[in-house]
């Protein structure tokens, strides 16, 4: 069973309403936006980071239109951040480059990855339907932001932090 099928099964088992859209493989936000899926919900940018000094990992999610200031985020998290390796992405989140997704946290049973959420995603006055990959960059799953958070909290031990990015 592929990661994508496994994620669909997990969503069904947890009675989470979602819509999956199959598409060509995408590797960048530019390619993602070309698909014009943002009409279905907010497309989320996912970034996997690492702090060499503390050996901590971070999965950051934010609005696709935002630019990440790594120096500012490092200051907020008190960790000198760099992009994590593809090997670590596979090891801790069972993901490959181009398919980074908060669903990868479902594979982090030891809670090694800190989940960092941009506060703008939690705003009740915005569209709370978000689009993320189902651990595979050939599809996008649209679901309620709150359902994603409940699922992550239920299935692993990750530290979840909401900050202004």
């Amino acid at each position: 069973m592929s990661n994508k099928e496994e994620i669909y099964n997990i969503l069904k088992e947890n009675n989470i309403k979602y819509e999956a859209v199959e598409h060509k493989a995408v590797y960048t936000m530019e390619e993602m936006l070309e698909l014009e899926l943002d009409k279905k919900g907010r497309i989320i940018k996912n970034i996997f980071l690492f702090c060499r000094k503390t050996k901590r990992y971070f999965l950051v999610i934010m609005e696709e239109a935002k630019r990440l200031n790594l120096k500012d985020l490092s200051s907020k998290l008190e960790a000198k951040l760099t992009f994590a390796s593809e090997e670590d992405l596979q090891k801790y989140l069972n993901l490959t480059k181009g398919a980074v997704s908060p669903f990868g946290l479902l594979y982090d049973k030891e809670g090694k990855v800190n989940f960092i959420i941009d506060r703008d995603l939690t705003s009740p006055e915005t569209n709370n339907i978000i689009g993320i990959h189902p651990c595979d960059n050939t599809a996008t799953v649209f679901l309620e932001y709150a359902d994603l958070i409940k699922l992550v909290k239920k299935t692993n031990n990750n530290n979840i932090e909401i900050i202004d990015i």
Side-chain angles (χ1 to χ4, degrees):
M1 178 182 309
S2 72
N3 282 357
K4 180 169 52 173
E5 292 166 337
E6 192 170 351
I7 295 300
Y8 295 160
N9 286 338
I10 290 169
L11 292 170
K12 288 173 190 164
E13 289 166 6
N14 286 277
N15 296 314
I16 294 176
K17 183 179 166 190
Y18 71 96
E19 178 185 357
V21 178
E22 302 286 324
H23 51 70
K24 68 177 183 167
V26 292
Y27 297 92
T28 65
M29 286 308 301
E30 291 77 23
E31 290 175 333
M32 186 69 194
L33 293 175
E34 287 173 7
L35 300 175
E36 298 183 0
L37 295 177
D38 54 330
K39 295 174 180 92
K40 294 185 175 290
R42 296 185 293 166
I43 303 300
I44 303 304
K45 184 183 291 186
N46 310 281
I47 305 159
F48 189 50
L49 302 170
F50 175 65
C51 175
R52 281 188 179 85
K53 184 177 180 182
T54 62
K55 305 291 187 234
R56 291 171 35 209
Y57 291 89
F58 301 86
L59 177 64
V60 178
I61 65 169
M62 57 197 271
E63 296 275 356
E64 62 78 19
K66 283 195 165 187
R67 295 275 178 240
L68 178 65
N69 181 327
L70 208 50
K71 187 174 179 180
D72 182 52
L73 184 60
S74 291
S75 175
K76 288 179 181 179
L77 296 175
E78 298 177 2
K80 186 172 176 162
L81 299 171
T82 60
F83 291 94
S85 71
E86 289 182 50
E87 292 80 19
D88 286 344
L89 180 62
Q90 178 66 47
K91 179 179 177 180
Y92 294 106
L93 299 178
N94 196 30
L95 297 171
T96 58
K97 185 178 177 183
V100 179
S101 167
F103 285 133
L105 294 168
L106 305 180
Y107 297 100
D108 181 26
K109 300 299 182 192
E110 296 177 32
K112 298 281 187 189
V113 180
N114 296 285
F115 189 26
I116 308 301
I117 302 166
D118 180 23
R119 189 172 313 281
D120 288 349
L121 293 178
T122 67
S123 176
E125 55 272 354
T126 58
N127 179 357
N128 284 319
I129 301 293
I130 59 171
I132 56 179
H133 290 312
C135 298
D136 184 309
N137 64 349
T138 63
T140 300
V141 170
F142 291 91
L143 73 162
E144 290 277 345
Y145 163 81
D147 286 338
L148 171 66
I149 300 307
K150 281 186 231 172
L151 185 62
V152 169
K153 285 181 177 179
K154 178 180 177 182
T155 58
N156 69 30
N157 303 314
N158 295 91
N159 177 33
I160 298 175
E161 190 173 346
I162 298 171
I163 65 171
D164 291 310
I165 297 180

